[in-house]
Amino acid sequence: FVSESFATFDKLKLLIYDLLMAEAWKQHLYPLLKKDLAKVTSFRSYITMYHEATIANLLEIMLFNRTACEACGDDLLELVDYCYRKLLWLTQEERKPEHLVKSAKDYLEQDPSVELENQKSNLEFQIAMISISVIRFVTDHLQILPFSTIHQILENNDFLCLFVPLIEDKPWIRTNKSSGKREKFENQKWVEIPPKDYNRVTKIESQIWLAIYNLFMDPECRKGYEMTSFRKNNLLRLRKYLNELLLDQIPILSDLLRTLEELSMMADSSTPQMNAFVVQTVPEIRQSIIQGKDWKEIAKYQRKNFFTDSEEMRRKDMERVSQMYNMEMYDDFLEDPKCSNCGKPAENRCSRCKSEWYCGRECQAKSWKAHKPICQILMKAPKKNPISDQESEKIGSDQKSSNEHKKILIEETDVKKEKEEEIIQEIATETTCEKEIVKPKEDERSTEEQTKEDQKEEQQQEEKSTKTVLQEVSTTSEVVVNKDTPTKQSNIGQEKTSASKSEEKQEDAEVSIFEELD
């Protein structure tokens, strides 16, 4: 999402410009401000130099995507030229970072100017390692790059010949002089290499091999790359490093080895392959930044406004740090403490200096001889700066002014409370008047409701009287009906007896007839 937003809003060119500005500041202004930076707090001096590394790291992450390379356009040529200068610095042995691990006593006694110079060299080394990955990501997208950028990579800077001494020297691997163990630079820090991984290829070395493969095996690049005798002999020096161990880890390099063997059997070309007329684009952004600048005047302005050691500047720095870093977020990036003796996860630390961690009592006792002088130095160091008389007077005056300010605030709050009480009383009086005005209306409503209730009661009484009359009429009719019913029942009984007698007579007659027949 971040890389896409930078590409869509065309901000990658701005990052490249800012990167070149930081490089120009370090090249022209740092020698003039070196003494002033040594006097200023280490936070301010380190942040100014670390700004270049942060931009380079951001570009490294975003140029992994193809859209970011396309969005850079012709400004990508400026970035390629910047990476060439950083890798060229890396090949110089006198500018490599020192490998000796110093003690805490040596760091306390170290001159600030020497410490600043060591920080600068370490940052330059980190930026050079970032530049290797940037070039590798650029070579992954050769098909979309403009011709001017490809020409800058192959002819003007000639990265193929520059990569060969880096493969031979391997500055990303060093030997720690104090412990005698091998270390590799990985993920922007030095990490110890276990003995079983001595033959394993590091990430940075694999980036260089892949960049060489992308440039040398691409057919269009091979056509545009003039193979002179110097370049041929330089590239053939890579064959001794393409052994079985390397090919097992990066199998794609077997094609590179085959092409190098074919190159060794080819004769050197006496005629140049390049055309007589070549249109070449020159890096313009860096030249526009450097040319026509009075660096001494710029150094005076920055010395006066930015690099002064005063209490106000320190206070501003601390405020910026507190706004920039939140401790809850910062805890997620911290590594778990490890025992200084055995390297296992530790939960206890020295009760005196609280700087060394241990997994238990045994490891603490073993490392006490080595830790004792450092612990004594840390305990003797002042934890807080003593407050002078002038500062104490300032603090007292500030407290007095704060107390007076509190009194004024209390008086203002009392006045506000009185006003609020007056307003509440006025509102209460208005509500009582409204209630008195509303009372006669409520009386009129009550009389109307009483009349309605009386009418309802009269109607209910009339309905009750009609109901009683109807009940009396119904009872009289029922009495008349009951009187008539017994006569009817007697007549019905008489009729039933007469019918039964006639039936008996018929039966007797039939019986007499049957007797006569017999």
Side-chain angles (χ1 to χ4, degrees), residues 178-208:
S178 60
S179 62
K181 296 180 180 179
R182 296 181 67 181
E183 295 177 349
K184 62 180 179 179
F185 190 81
E186 193 170 2
N187 298 326
Q188 301 299 320
K189 61 182 179 180
W190 290 100
V191 183
E192 184 180 345
I193 305 174
K196 63 180 181 180
D197 294 336
Y198 281 170
N199 295 323
R200 181 174 292 181
V201 182
T202 61
K203 291 181 180 179
I204 297 171
E205 186 177 356
S206 61
Q207 298 280 10
I208 293 177

PDB file of all heavy atoms in Angstrom, residues 178-208:
ATOM      1  N   SER A 178      38.335  -9.352  19.326  1.00  0.00           N
ATOM      2  CA  SER A 178      38.283  -9.651  20.765  1.00  0.00           C
ATOM      3  C   SER A 178      37.899 -11.097  21.039  1.00  0.00           C
ATOM      4  O   SER A 178      38.472 -11.758  21.904  1.00  0.00           O
ATOM      5  CB  SER A 178      37.289  -8.709  21.452  1.00  0.00           C
ATOM      6  OG  SER A 178      35.999  -8.881  20.891  1.00  0.00           O
ATOM      7  N   SER A 179      36.925 -11.634  20.299  1.00  0.00           N
ATOM      8  CA  SER A 179      36.484 -13.015  20.514  1.00  0.00           C
ATOM      9  C   SER A 179      37.070 -13.997  19.511  1.00  0.00           C
ATOM     10  O   SER A 179      37.062 -15.215  19.755  1.00  0.00           O
ATOM     11  CB  SER A 179      34.952 -13.091  20.455  1.00  0.00           C
ATOM     12  OG  SER A 179      34.485 -12.700  19.175  1.00  0.00           O
ATOM     13  N   GLY A 180      37.558 -13.505  18.358  1.00  0.00           N
ATOM     14  CA  GLY A 180      38.118 -14.386  17.345  1.00  0.00           C
ATOM     15  C   GLY A 180      37.083 -15.140  16.531  1.00  0.00           C
ATOM     16  O   GLY A 180      37.433 -16.070  15.796  1.00  0.00           O
ATOM     17  N   LYS A 181      35.783 -14.749  16.602  1.00  0.00           N
ATOM     18  CA  LYS A 181      34.712 -15.435  15.886  1.00  0.00           C
ATOM     19  C   LYS A 181      34.353 -14.654  14.618  1.00  0.00           C
ATOM     20  O   LYS A 181      34.525 -13.437  14.552  1.00  0.00           O
ATOM     21  CB  LYS A 181      33.481 -15.581  16.777  1.00  0.00           C
ATOM     22  CG  LYS A 181      33.720 -16.458  17.988  1.00  0.00           C
ATOM     23  CD  LYS A 181      32.464 -16.560  18.839  1.00  0.00           C
ATOM     24  CE  LYS A 181      32.699 -17.444  20.056  1.00  0.00           C
ATOM     25  NZ  LYS A 181      31.491 -17.535  20.915  1.00  0.00           N
ATOM     26  N   ARG A 182      33.828 -15.385  13.649  1.00  0.00           N
ATOM     27  CA  ARG A 182      33.429 -14.765  12.384  1.00  0.00           C
ATOM     28  C   ARG A 182      32.025 -14.194  12.518  1.00  0.00           C
ATOM     29  O   ARG A 182      31.144 -14.796  13.153  1.00  0.00           O
ATOM     30  CB  ARG A 182      33.479 -15.784  11.252  1.00  0.00           C
ATOM     31  CG  ARG A 182      34.872 -16.319  10.976  1.00  0.00           C
ATOM     32  CD  ARG A 182      34.863 -17.317   9.827  1.00  0.00           C
ATOM     33  NE  ARG A 182      34.530 -16.669   8.564  1.00  0.00           N
ATOM     34  CZ  ARG A 182      34.428 -17.315   7.395  1.00  0.00           C
ATOM     35  NH1 ARG A 182      34.633 -18.641   7.359  1.00  0.00           N
ATOM     36  NH2 ARG A 182      34.131 -16.684   6.290  1.00  0.00           N
ATOM     37  N   GLU A 183      31.812 -13.049  11.897  1.00  0.00           N
ATOM     38  CA  GLU A 183      30.523 -12.361  11.928  1.00  0.00           C
ATOM     39  C   GLU A 183      30.140 -11.942  10.514  1.00  0.00           C
ATOM     40  O   GLU A 183      31.005 -11.694   9.672  1.00  0.00           O
ATOM     41  CB  GLU A 183      30.585 -11.126  12.836  1.00  0.00           C
ATOM     42  CG  GLU A 183      30.822 -11.448  14.298  1.00  0.00           C
ATOM     43  CD  GLU A 183      30.943 -10.197  15.146  1.00  0.00           C
ATOM     44  OE1 GLU A 183      31.060  -9.086  14.572  1.00  0.00           O
ATOM     45  OE2 GLU A 183      30.949 -10.330  16.387  1.00  0.00           O
ATOM     46  N   LYS A 184      28.835 -11.854  10.270  1.00  0.00           N
ATOM     47  CA  LYS A 184      28.314 -11.395   8.979  1.00  0.00           C
ATOM     48  C   LYS A 184      27.323 -10.256   9.212  1.00  0.00           C
ATOM     49  O   LYS A 184      26.650 -10.187  10.245  1.00  0.00           O
ATOM     50  CB  LYS A 184      27.618 -12.541   8.240  1.00  0.00           C
ATOM     51  CG  LYS A 184      26.411 -13.120   8.951  1.00  0.00           C
ATOM     52  CD  LYS A 184      25.775 -14.242   8.163  1.00  0.00           C
ATOM     53  CE  LYS A 184      24.581 -14.834   8.917  1.00  0.00           C
ATOM     54  NZ  LYS A 184      23.938 -15.926   8.154  1.00  0.00           N
ATOM     55  N   PHE A 185      27.269  -9.374   8.231  1.00  0.00           N
ATOM     56  CA  PHE A 185      26.368  -8.234   8.309  1.00  0.00           C
ATOM     57  C   PHE A 185      25.044  -8.621   7.648  1.00  0.00           C
ATOM     58  O   PHE A 185      24.977  -8.822   6.429  1.00  0.00           O
ATOM     59  CB  PHE A 185      26.981  -7.026   7.600  1.00  0.00           C
ATOM     60  CG  PHE A 185      26.234  -5.742   7.837  1.00  0.00           C
ATOM     61  CD1 PHE A 185      26.424  -5.026   9.001  1.00  0.00           C
ATOM     62  CD2 PHE A 185      25.338  -5.262   6.900  1.00  0.00           C
ATOM     63  CE1 PHE A 185      25.734  -3.848   9.231  1.00  0.00           C
ATOM     64  CE2 PHE A 185      24.646  -4.089   7.111  1.00  0.00           C
ATOM     65  CZ  PHE A 185      24.848  -3.376   8.284  1.00  0.00           C
ATOM     66  N   GLU A 186      24.016  -8.721   8.460  1.00  0.00           N
ATOM     67  CA  GLU A 186      22.709  -9.168   7.985  1.00  0.00           C
ATOM     68  C   GLU A 186      21.621  -8.439   8.753  1.00  0.00           C
ATOM     69  O   GLU A 186      21.705  -8.295   9.983  1.00  0.00           O
ATOM     70  CB  GLU A 186      22.558 -10.684   8.169  1.00  0.00           C
ATOM     71  CG  GLU A 186      21.384 -11.292   7.439  1.00  0.00           C
ATOM     72  CD  GLU A 186      21.436 -12.806   7.477  1.00  0.00           C
ATOM     73  OE1 GLU A 186      22.374 -13.346   8.116  1.00  0.00           O
ATOM     74  OE2 GLU A 186      20.564 -13.442   6.877  1.00  0.00           O
ATOM     75  N   ASN A 187      20.616  -7.953   8.013  1.00  0.00           N
ATOM     76  CA  ASN A 187      19.508  -7.188   8.608  1.00  0.00           C
ATOM     77  C   ASN A 187      20.018  -5.963   9.382  1.00  0.00           C
ATOM     78  O   ASN A 187      19.567  -5.680  10.489  1.00  0.00           O
ATOM     79  CB  ASN A 187      18.659  -8.082   9.519  1.00  0.00           C
ATOM     80  CG  ASN A 187      18.006  -9.217   8.769  1.00  0.00           C
ATOM     81  OD1 ASN A 187      17.637  -9.068   7.598  1.00  0.00           O
ATOM     82  ND2 ASN A 187      17.875 -10.366   9.416  1.00  0.00           N
ATOM     83  N   GLN A 188      20.968  -5.266   8.779  1.00  0.00           N
ATOM     84  CA  GLN A 188      21.515  -4.012   9.303  1.00  0.00           C
ATOM     85  C   GLN A 188      22.211  -4.174  10.656  1.00  0.00           C
ATOM     86  O   GLN A 188      22.226  -3.243  11.466  1.00  0.00           O
ATOM     87  CB  GLN A 188      20.400  -2.954   9.412  1.00  0.00           C
ATOM     88  CG  GLN A 188      19.707  -2.640   8.109  1.00  0.00           C
ATOM     89  CD  GLN A 188      20.648  -2.090   7.055  1.00  0.00           C
ATOM     90  OE1 GLN A 188      21.532  -1.293   7.368  1.00  0.00           O
ATOM     91  NE2 GLN A 188      20.475  -2.510   5.816  1.00  0.00           N
ATOM     92  N   LYS A 189      22.793  -5.334  10.907  1.00  0.00           N
ATOM     93  CA  LYS A 189      23.565  -5.537  12.138  1.00  0.00           C
ATOM     94  C   LYS A 189      24.516  -6.713  11.935  1.00  0.00           C
ATOM     95  O   LYS A 189      24.325  -7.555  11.046  1.00  0.00           O
ATOM     96  CB  LYS A 189      22.642  -5.795  13.331  1.00  0.00           C
ATOM     97  CG  LYS A 189      21.779  -7.029  13.198  1.00  0.00           C
ATOM     98  CD  LYS A 189      20.867  -7.187  14.396  1.00  0.00           C
ATOM     99  CE  LYS A 189      19.980  -8.420  14.245  1.00  0.00           C
ATOM    100  NZ  LYS A 189      19.074  -8.593  15.404  1.00  0.00           N
ATOM    101  N   TRP A 190      25.548  -6.756  12.775  1.00  0.00           N
ATOM    102  CA  TRP A 190      26.535  -7.829  12.722  1.00  0.00           C
ATOM    103  C   TRP A 190      26.067  -9.006  13.574  1.00  0.00           C
ATOM    104  O   TRP A 190      25.715  -8.839  14.738  1.00  0.00           O
ATOM    105  CB  TRP A 190      27.895  -7.337  13.215  1.00  0.00           C
ATOM    106  CG  TRP A 190      28.551  -6.373  12.273  1.00  0.00           C
ATOM    107  CD1 TRP A 190      28.582  -5.019  12.374  1.00  0.00           C
ATOM    108  CD2 TRP A 190      29.266  -6.701  11.079  1.00  0.00           C
ATOM    109  NE1 TRP A 190      29.274  -4.471  11.325  1.00  0.00           N
ATOM    110  CE2 TRP A 190      29.713  -5.498  10.509  1.00  0.00           C
ATOM    111  CE3 TRP A 190      29.578  -7.891  10.447  1.00  0.00           C
ATOM    112  CZ2 TRP A 190      30.450  -5.440   9.338  1.00  0.00           C
ATOM    113  CZ3 TRP A 190      30.313  -7.850   9.272  1.00  0.00           C
ATOM    114  CH2 TRP A 190      30.739  -6.639   8.726  1.00  0.00           C
ATOM    115  N   VAL A 191      26.069 -10.190  12.969  1.00  0.00           N
ATOM    116  CA  VAL A 191      25.571 -11.407  13.610  1.00  0.00           C
ATOM    117  C   VAL A 191      26.681 -12.455  13.560  1.00  0.00           C
ATOM    118  O   VAL A 191      27.392 -12.590  12.550  1.00  0.00           O
ATOM    119  CB  VAL A 191      24.304 -11.934  12.906  1.00  0.00           C
ATOM    120  CG1 VAL A 191      23.756 -13.160  13.632  1.00  0.00           C
ATOM    121  CG2 VAL A 191      23.245 -10.855  12.828  1.00  0.00           C
ATOM    122  N   GLU A 192      26.832 -13.196  14.643  1.00  0.00           N
ATOM    123  CA  GLU A 192      27.852 -14.247  14.699  1.00  0.00           C
ATOM    124  C   GLU A 192      27.457 -15.424  13.812  1.00  0.00           C
ATOM    125  O   GLU A 192      26.283 -15.835  13.770  1.00  0.00           O
ATOM    126  CB  GLU A 192      28.024 -14.711  16.147  1.00  0.00           C
ATOM    127  CG  GLU A 192      29.120 -15.745  16.343  1.00  0.00           C
ATOM    128  CD  GLU A 192      29.245 -16.181  17.789  1.00  0.00           C
ATOM    129  OE1 GLU A 192      28.695 -15.477  18.664  1.00  0.00           O
ATOM    130  OE2 GLU A 192      29.881 -17.226  18.036  1.00  0.00           O
ATOM    131  N   ILE A 193      28.434 -15.963  13.093  1.00  0.00           N
ATOM    132  CA  ILE A 193      28.200 -17.098  12.192  1.00  0.00           C
ATOM    133  C   ILE A 193      28.590 -18.384  12.915  1.00  0.00           C
ATOM    134  O   ILE A 193      29.740 -18.539  13.345  1.00  0.00           O
ATOM    135  CB  ILE A 193      29.022 -16.969  10.900  1.00  0.00           C
ATOM    136  CG1 ILE A 193      28.738 -15.633  10.219  1.00  0.00           C
ATOM    137  CG2 ILE A 193      28.723 -18.112   9.946  1.00  0.00           C
ATOM    138  CD1 ILE A 193      29.626 -15.363   9.021  1.00  0.00           C
ATOM    139  N   PRO A 194      27.687 -19.342  13.058  1.00  0.00           N
ATOM    140  CA  PRO A 194      28.078 -20.624  13.653  1.00  0.00           C
ATOM    141  C   PRO A 194      29.009 -21.393  12.716  1.00  0.00           C
ATOM    142  O   PRO A 194      28.977 -21.201  11.496  1.00  0.00           O
ATOM    143  CB  PRO A 194      26.737 -21.346  13.838  1.00  0.00           C
ATOM    144  CG  PRO A 194      25.804 -20.682  12.915  1.00  0.00           C
ATOM    145  CD  PRO A 194      26.251 -19.273  12.758  1.00  0.00           C
ATOM    146  N   PRO A 195      29.856 -22.247  13.252  1.00  0.00           N
ATOM    147  CA  PRO A 195      30.829 -22.959  12.401  1.00  0.00           C
ATOM    148  C   PRO A 195      30.193 -23.788  11.289  1.00  0.00           C
ATOM    149  O   PRO A 195      30.777 -23.937  10.206  1.00  0.00           O
ATOM    150  CB  PRO A 195      31.584 -23.846  13.390  1.00  0.00           C
ATOM    151  CG  PRO A 195      31.428 -23.168  14.716  1.00  0.00           C
ATOM    152  CD  PRO A 195      30.084 -22.528  14.691  1.00  0.00           C
ATOM    153  N   LYS A 196      28.988 -24.298  11.509  1.00  0.00           N
ATOM    154  CA  LYS A 196      28.351 -25.114  10.479  1.00  0.00           C
ATOM    155  C   LYS A 196      27.893 -24.299   9.275  1.00  0.00           C
ATOM    156  O   LYS A 196      27.614 -24.862   8.192  1.00  0.00           O
ATOM    157  CB  LYS A 196      27.164 -25.874  11.074  1.00  0.00           C
ATOM    158  CG  LYS A 196      26.057 -24.973  11.590  1.00  0.00           C
ATOM    159  CD  LYS A 196      24.907 -25.775  12.157  1.00  0.00           C
ATOM    160  CE  LYS A 196      23.788 -24.856  12.660  1.00  0.00           C
ATOM    161  NZ  LYS A 196      22.656 -25.627  13.207  1.00  0.00           N
ATOM    162  N   ASP A 197      27.789 -22.962   9.418  1.00  0.00           N
ATOM    163  CA  ASP A 197      27.313 -22.097   8.338  1.00  0.00           C
ATOM    164  C   ASP A 197      28.433 -21.293   7.685  1.00  0.00           C
ATOM    165  O   ASP A 197      28.169 -20.285   7.021  1.00  0.00           O
ATOM    166  CB  ASP A 197      26.250 -21.132   8.874  1.00  0.00           C
ATOM    167  CG  ASP A 197      24.990 -21.838   9.322  1.00  0.00           C
ATOM    168  OD1 ASP A 197      24.740 -22.953   8.829  1.00  0.00           O
ATOM    169  OD2 ASP A 197      24.255 -21.276  10.168  1.00  0.00           O
ATOM    170  N   TYR A 198      29.670 -21.696   7.866  1.00  0.00           N
ATOM    171  CA  TYR A 198      30.780 -20.954   7.268  1.00  0.00           C
ATOM    172  C   TYR A 198      30.709 -20.969   5.739  1.00  0.00           C
ATOM    173  O   TYR A 198      31.084 -19.990   5.076  1.00  0.00           O
ATOM    174  CB  TYR A 198      32.117 -21.531   7.727  1.00  0.00           C
ATOM    175  CG  TYR A 198      32.536 -21.093   9.112  1.00  0.00           C
ATOM    176  CD1 TYR A 198      33.624 -21.684   9.757  1.00  0.00           C
ATOM    177  CD2 TYR A 198      31.851 -20.089   9.793  1.00  0.00           C
ATOM    178  CE1 TYR A 198      34.018 -21.275  11.028  1.00  0.00           C
ATOM    179  CE2 TYR A 198      32.232 -19.684  11.057  1.00  0.00           C
ATOM    180  CZ  TYR A 198      33.316 -20.278  11.670  1.00  0.00           C
ATOM    181  OH  TYR A 198      33.683 -19.871  12.923  1.00  0.00           O
ATOM    182  N   ASN A 199      30.267 -22.074   5.164  1.00  0.00           N
ATOM    183  CA  ASN A 199      30.208 -22.199   3.700  1.00  0.00           C
ATOM    184  C   ASN A 199      28.879 -21.750   3.112  1.00  0.00           C
ATOM    185  O   ASN A 199      28.692 -21.851   1.887  1.00  0.00           O
ATOM    186  CB  ASN A 199      30.467 -23.663   3.290  1.00  0.00           C
ATOM    187  CG  ASN A 199      31.872 -24.106   3.629  1.00  0.00           C
ATOM    188  OD1 ASN A 199      32.828 -23.334   3.516  1.00  0.00           O
ATOM    189  ND2 ASN A 199      32.014 -25.366   4.050  1.00  0.00           N
ATOM    190  N   ARG A 200      27.992 -21.283   3.943  1.00  0.00           N
ATOM    191  CA  ARG A 200      26.696 -20.828   3.442  1.00  0.00           C
ATOM    192  C   ARG A 200      26.819 -19.406   2.902  1.00  0.00           C
ATOM    193  O   ARG A 200      27.465 -18.544   3.502  1.00  0.00           O
ATOM    194  CB  ARG A 200      25.644 -20.881   4.552  1.00  0.00           C
ATOM    195  CG  ARG A 200      24.249 -20.455   4.103  1.00  0.00           C
ATOM    196  CD  ARG A 200      23.232 -20.661   5.196  1.00  0.00           C
ATOM    197  NE  ARG A 200      23.025 -22.095   5.445  1.00  0.00           N
ATOM    198  CZ  ARG A 200      22.153 -22.563   6.351  1.00  0.00           C
ATOM    199  NH1 ARG A 200      21.466 -21.716   7.107  1.00  0.00           N
ATOM    200  NH2 ARG A 200      22.014 -23.865   6.513  1.00  0.00           N
ATOM    201  N   VAL A 201      26.168 -19.137   1.772  1.00  0.00           N
ATOM    202  CA  VAL A 201      26.229 -17.819   1.133  1.00  0.00           C
ATOM    203  C   VAL A 201      25.349 -16.852   1.905  1.00  0.00           C
ATOM    204  O   VAL A 201      24.196 -17.176   2.262  1.00  0.00           O
ATOM    205  CB  VAL A 201      25.766 -17.909  -0.334  1.00  0.00           C
ATOM    206  CG1 VAL A 201      25.867 -16.548  -1.011  1.00  0.00           C
ATOM    207  CG2 VAL A 201      26.585 -18.926  -1.088  1.00  0.00           C
ATOM    208  N   THR A 202      25.871 -15.668   2.168  1.00  0.00           N
ATOM    209  CA  THR A 202      25.089 -14.650   2.866  1.00  0.00           C
ATOM    210  C   THR A 202      24.091 -13.996   1.901  1.00  0.00           C
ATOM    211  O   THR A 202      24.189 -14.133   0.675  1.00  0.00           O
ATOM    212  CB  THR A 202      26.020 -13.576   3.453  1.00  0.00           C
ATOM    213  OG1 THR A 202      26.738 -12.955   2.386  1.00  0.00           O
ATOM    214  CG2 THR A 202      26.993 -14.179   4.447  1.00  0.00           C
ATOM    215  N   LYS A 203      23.162 -13.254   2.476  1.00  0.00           N
ATOM    216  CA  LYS A 203      22.128 -12.606   1.658  1.00  0.00           C
ATOM    217  C   LYS A 203      22.728 -11.551   0.737  1.00  0.00           C
ATOM    218  O   LYS A 203      22.336 -11.427  -0.428  1.00  0.00           O
ATOM    219  CB  LYS A 203      21.077 -11.983   2.565  1.00  0.00           C
ATOM    220  CG  LYS A 203      20.219 -12.988   3.307  1.00  0.00           C
ATOM    221  CD  LYS A 203      19.178 -12.275   4.160  1.00  0.00           C
ATOM    222  CE  LYS A 203      18.310 -13.279   4.907  1.00  0.00           C
ATOM    223  NZ  LYS A 203      17.298 -12.588   5.764  1.00  0.00           N
ATOM    224  N   ILE A 204      23.676 -10.776   1.258  1.00  0.00           N
ATOM    225  CA  ILE A 204      24.258  -9.693   0.452  1.00  0.00           C
ATOM    226  C   ILE A 204      25.075 -10.267  -0.700  1.00  0.00           C
ATOM    227  O   ILE A 204      25.014  -9.763  -1.835  1.00  0.00           O
ATOM    228  CB  ILE A 204      25.108  -8.777   1.355  1.00  0.00           C
ATOM    229  CG1 ILE A 204      24.217  -8.116   2.405  1.00  0.00           C
ATOM    230  CG2 ILE A 204      25.830  -7.724   0.534  1.00  0.00           C
ATOM    231  CD1 ILE A 204      24.965  -7.370   3.467  1.00  0.00           C
ATOM    232  N   GLU A 205      25.825 -11.325  -0.458  1.00  0.00           N
ATOM    233  CA  GLU A 205      26.598 -11.943  -1.544  1.00  0.00           C
ATOM    234  C   GLU A 205      25.684 -12.529  -2.608  1.00  0.00           C
ATOM    235  O   GLU A 205      25.972 -12.437  -3.812  1.00  0.00           O
ATOM    236  CB  GLU A 205      27.509 -13.029  -0.970  1.00  0.00           C
ATOM    237  CG  GLU A 205      28.464 -13.623  -1.994  1.00  0.00           C
ATOM    238  CD  GLU A 205      29.404 -14.645  -1.393  1.00  0.00           C
ATOM    239  OE1 GLU A 205      29.359 -14.832  -0.152  1.00  0.00           O
ATOM    240  OE2 GLU A 205      30.191 -15.247  -2.152  1.00  0.00           O
ATOM    241  N   SER A 206      24.582 -13.120  -2.178  1.00  0.00           N
ATOM    242  CA  SER A 206      23.640 -13.657  -3.164  1.00  0.00           C
ATOM    243  C   SER A 206      23.003 -12.539  -3.996  1.00  0.00           C
ATOM    244  O   SER A 206      22.723 -12.730  -5.192  1.00  0.00           O
ATOM    245  CB  SER A 206      22.551 -14.460  -2.451  1.00  0.00           C
ATOM    246  OG  SER A 206      21.824 -13.639  -1.557  1.00  0.00           O
ATOM    247  N   GLN A 207      22.828 -11.358  -3.411  1.00  0.00           N
ATOM    248  CA  GLN A 207      22.299 -10.222  -4.172  1.00  0.00           C
ATOM    249  C   GLN A 207      23.263  -9.823  -5.284  1.00  0.00           C
ATOM    250  O   GLN A 207      22.852  -9.516  -6.410  1.00  0.00           O
ATOM    251  CB  GLN A 207      22.078  -9.029  -3.228  1.00  0.00           C
ATOM    252  CG  GLN A 207      21.072  -9.253  -2.116  1.00  0.00           C
ATOM    253  CD  GLN A 207      19.634  -9.102  -2.580  1.00  0.00           C
ATOM    254  OE1 GLN A 207      19.357  -9.011  -3.761  1.00  0.00           O
ATOM    255  NE2 GLN A 207      18.712  -9.091  -1.634  1.00  0.00           N
ATOM    256  N   ILE A 208      24.563  -9.833  -4.990  1.00  0.00           N
ATOM    257  CA  ILE A 208      25.555  -9.471  -6.008  1.00  0.00           C
ATOM    258  C   ILE A 208      25.589 -10.505  -7.128  1.00  0.00           C
ATOM    259  O   ILE A 208      25.634 -10.161  -8.323  1.00  0.00           O
ATOM    260  CB  ILE A 208      26.940  -9.308  -5.357  1.00  0.00           C
ATOM    261  CG1 ILE A 208      26.939  -8.101  -4.420  1.00  0.00           C
ATOM    262  CG2 ILE A 208      28.020  -9.131  -6.421  1.00  0.00           C
ATOM    263  CD1 ILE A 208      28.219  -7.892  -3.671  1.00  0.00           C
TER     264      ILE A 208
END
